[in-house]
Amino acid sequence: MALKPLHDRLVVRQIEAETTTAGGIVIPDKATEKPTQGEVLAVGPGQVTDNGQVRPLDVKPGDRVLYNQYAGNKVKHEGEELLILKESDVLAIVETTQKQEKAA
């Protein structure tokens, strides 16, 4: 990846929201919410603490994360729309179970 985020920032590819419910109902485009889940593509070296040390980030490239709905800045890079977030905008790392991986 040619984008190298600084400090406690990360580059995320948004994962589009599902367009059908579990029951098979199709959700129209206007009713879908902005995606709040994405795949981490690159991370910065870490946050500089008050004493000058660098604290490494908890997320790493390849992680799937949930983030605040209106967080980050959109950038276009090589024709793809990406999101640059601060680590504090990340709410959780989505961990997949073996059962979910087999279904995918």
Side-chain angles (χ1 to χ4, degrees):
M1 160 139 291
L3 287 178
K4 174 103 173 101
L6 301 175
H7 306 295
D8 66 335
R9 289 182 173 75
L10 43 139
V11 178
V12 174
R13 177 186 299 128
Q14 293 178 314
I15 298 172
E16 295 300 319
E18 294 292 325
T19 56
T20 57
T21 65
I25 299 172
V26 176
I27 303 169
D29 288 339
K30 290 184 179 183
T32 59
E33 292 185 8
K34 180 180 169 186
T36 57
Q37 199 171 140
E39 177 188 0
V40 177
L41 300 177
V43 298
Q47 182 177 17
V48 179
T49 62
D50 292 335
N51 64 5
Q53 294 182 341
V54 177
R55 183 189 66 79
L57 301 182
D58 292 328
V59 295
K60 61 188 179 308
D63 282 349
R64 192 172 193 165
V65 294
L66 294 175
Y67 50 87
N68 288 323
Q69 187 170 11
Y70 298 104
N73 295 309
K74 289 185 179 181
V75 295
K76 266 206 177 231
H77 179 68
E78 297 177 354
E80 184 176 17
E81 194 169 277
L82 303 172
L83 198 59
I84 298 181
L85 303 170
K86 290 187 103 181
E87 184 185 36
S88 59
D89 292 328
V90 174
L91 304 172
I93 296 172
V94 179
E95 295 180 350
T96 59
T97 62
Q98 288 180 352
K99 192 178 203 180
Q100 289 173 328
E101 289 173 357
K102 287 179 183 176

